[in-house]
Amino acid sequence: MVDLKGQYSQIKDVVNPAIQDVIENTAFINGPKVHEFQKNLENYLDVKHVIPCANGTDALQIAMMGLGLKPGDEVITADFTFAATVEVIALLQLTPVLVDVNPDDFNINVEAIKKAITTKTKAIVPVHLFGQCANMEAVMDIAKAHNLYVIEDNAQAIGANYTYANGEKVKVGTIGHVGATSFFPSKNLGCYGDGGAIFTNDDDLAHTIRGIVNHGMYERYHHDVVGVNSRLDSIQAAVLAAKLPHLDSYNNKRIAAANKYDAAFKNVPSIETPVRNGDVDNHVFHQYTLKLKGVDRDALAKHLNEKGIPCGVYYPIPLHQQKAYADERYNEADFVVTNQLVKEVISLPMHTELDNEQIEYITSTIIKFING
Ligand SMILES: *Cc1c(COP(=O)(O)O)cnc(C)c1O
């Protein structure tokens, strides 16, 4: 699905000495590399504060802790996402409220959010699934009208732009009150281990969060709030600092590969290629996900694996049907789209090193299977 080795071979000459440097300096935790990467990412995203942390799941959890959400507060998020999003809501004893997504862009459905709001609702967590921003203008309007926080799960869309109706562009993850991302190796900006970060333009929230990631300390050995230990280590920061200047070109390579996939499937009626909202740089294709109409998805997946083509089903089970998150409050009629998507979606290899020959082999194998 990804070719991390191919990408590494092209930046080896920068990454290796950067890692070596960290080792020589022994500043493994909170070293200068972490600060350097933080500043570079703030500039890149045009956001006031980046707070690096240990992984994307922590980033979401810490964002919610920073906002002071309390047990029993309801948090609305998408039914069709990676479990980390809902996991941290539940861990903090907040009440997850899963809602349906759009059939075209797979992102949280705005009408479903409106329907789910109660007097206990405190926050909305839109997930920018597969690399494309949710309808943030509408989400922010709802949040404003109901006095809710918006926490963007930007684990899959770092570097993507969001274009407002008036044409103004911003980096995804910097629109809500707080954004969270992951630097898991296969993400669009991945390190060589675990890593994550929180973004915000709010000075007070940034200050609160900087304490939370460090055991609730704002002054050494003074623990003002209950915190966690969540740090980006210096070796990962060195990798990320070396890779960040390439992020736009990495994302452009993904977009170019997606365009080639699209072209190959253009005349195949049983394949729906991914919908893009807005401009070409609004979808950075963390995943390239097809919807199959009248095709046995699992048989195709098996066939692709036999032909040496990796593929993935993101995600095979809606969160509201997972044992950990099932709840009698949920009604299947409210999850028509997710229930359908889990049967139809398939994600193809997507990374920065995909070449024409690979794309041609993948697409022709799929089309041959479908045409029998
Ligand atoms: C990867 C991912 C996360 C979690 O990130 P980790 O760094 O693996 O903890 C959260 N949300 C979404 C949507 C993700 O894809």
Side-chain angles (χ1 to χ4, degrees):
M1 289 299 277
V2 295
D3 181 4
L4 297 175
K5 197 149 185 199
Q7 190 189 65
Y8 166 65
S9 71
Q10 306 201 18
I11 51 171
K12 204 173 168 172
D13 293 348
V14 180
V15 169
N16 285 7
I19 293 176
Q20 191 64 42
D21 235 34
V22 173
I23 299 169
E24 301 290 346
N25 291 327
T26 69
F28 297 114
I29 301 293
N30 290 335
K33 270 291 170 190
V34 179
H35 193 67
E36 177 191 324
F37 170 64
Q38 173 200 322
K39 289 289 160 203
N40 295 350
L41 189 58
E42 284 168 356
N43 285 334
Y44 173 83
L45 294 170
D46 194 19
V47 70
K48 271 171 95 178
H49 305 281
V50 165
I51 303 110
C53 66
N55 58 69
T57 310
D58 274 10
L60 286 164
Q61 176 182 329
I62 293 158
M64 289 176 205
M65 291 169 76
L67 291 170
L69 300 181
K70 296 276 179 314
D73 287 351
E74 293 181 2
V75 179
I76 297 173
T77 193
D79 188 38
F80 191 61
T81 172
F82 181 55
T85 324
V86 66
E87 176 180 67
V88 299
I89 299 172
L91 263 178
L92 293 174
Q93 295 183 298
L94 312 172
T95 305
V97 178
L98 296 166
V99 301
D100 212 357
V101 298
N102 301 321
D104 49 3
D105 68 3
F106 311 116
N107 277 325
I108 195 162
N109 182 281
V110 169
E111 294 310 315
I113 296 176
K114 287 184 190 161
K115 227 181 114 183
I117 291 175
T118 72
T119 51
K120 290 187 181 164
T121 309
K122 288 284 155 32
I124 307 170
V125 187
V127 182
H128 307 313
L129 205 70
F130 302 151
Q132 177 159 247
C133 194
N135 183 352
M136 283 303 287
E137 212 156 1
V139 169
M140 294 311 289
D141 283 348
I142 299 171
K144 211 169 164 190
H146 296 269
N147 204 14
L148 309 175
Y149 292 120
V150 175
I151 302 149
E152 296 179 71
D153 182 342
N154 196 30
Q156 300 191 359
I158 194 154
N161 285 314
Y162 179 67
T163 314
Y164 284 94
N166 68 6
E168 193 197 324
K169 279 189 190 209
V170 284
K171 286 283 175 216
V172 172
T174 66
I175 305 163
H177 299 87
V178 57
T181 204
S182 162
F183 303 122
F184 186 80
S186 64
K187 301 280 157 110
N188 289 35
L189 179 61
C191 54
Y192 296 165
D194 272 312
I198 303 146
F199 324 136
T200 185
N201 282 308
D202 180 330
D203 297 340
D204 293 338
L205 181 59
H207 174 75
T208 303
I209 287 173
R210 288 209 173 91
I212 291 173
V213 299
N214 190 25
H215 303 290
M217 280 194 284
Y218 297 90
E219 201 186 319
R220 204 162 165 79
Y221 299 123
H222 292 250
H223 303 273
D224 294 356
V225 295
V226 177
V228 294
N229 168 22
S230 187
R231 297 183 280 237
L232 180 72
D233 70 70
S234 303
I235 288 181
Q236 299 311 330
V239 173
L240 290 165
K243 285 180 77 173
L244 180 60
H246 300 282
L247 178 57
D248 284 342
S249 104
Y250 288 161
N251 282 339
N252 286 335
K253 285 181 180 176
R254 289 172 178 270
I255 293 167
N259 290 342
K260 288 174 197 162
Y261 275 136
D262 281 359
F265 295 131
K266 201 167 151 232
N267 297 317
V268 186
S270 51
I271 292 180
E272 281 185 21
T273 55
V275 164
R276 295 145 161 86
N277 298 322
D279 290 335
V280 58
D281 54 5
N282 286 24
H283 195 328
V284 293
F285 289 97
H286 174 60
Q287 296 295 348
Y288 182 86
T289 303
L290 300 174
K291 280 194 287 177
L292 301 170
K293 300 288 174 185
V295 176
D296 183 341
R297 192 262 320 270
D298 296 334
L300 172 62
K302 189 164 166 266
H303 179 73
L304 291 179
N305 284 328
E306 283 162 10
K307 294 278 179 186
I309 299 171
C311 62
V313 173
Y314 309 117
Y315 297 89
I317 304 170
L319 287 178
H320 79 274
Q321 288 177 8
Q322 296 282 2
K323 275 192 199 149
Y325 306 112
D327 194 301
E328 58 195 18
R329 287 174 296 132
Y330 295 133
N331 182 347
E332 288 305 323
D334 292 327
F335 298 100
V336 174
V337 177
T338 333
N339 288 344
Q340 184 72 14
L341 288 177
V342 295
K343 293 182 228 155
E344 291 180 349
V345 290
I346 189 164
S347 300
L348 304 185
M350 175 48 77
H351 53 83
T352 55
E353 313 306 311
L354 267 180
D355 62 32
N356 287 343
E357 206 180 315
Q358 289 168 323
I359 291 175
E360 158 60 26
Y361 179 62
I362 294 163
T363 55
S364 64
T365 305
I366 293 172
I367 293 169
K368 263 185 229 149
F369 176 86
I370 285 177
N371 291 339

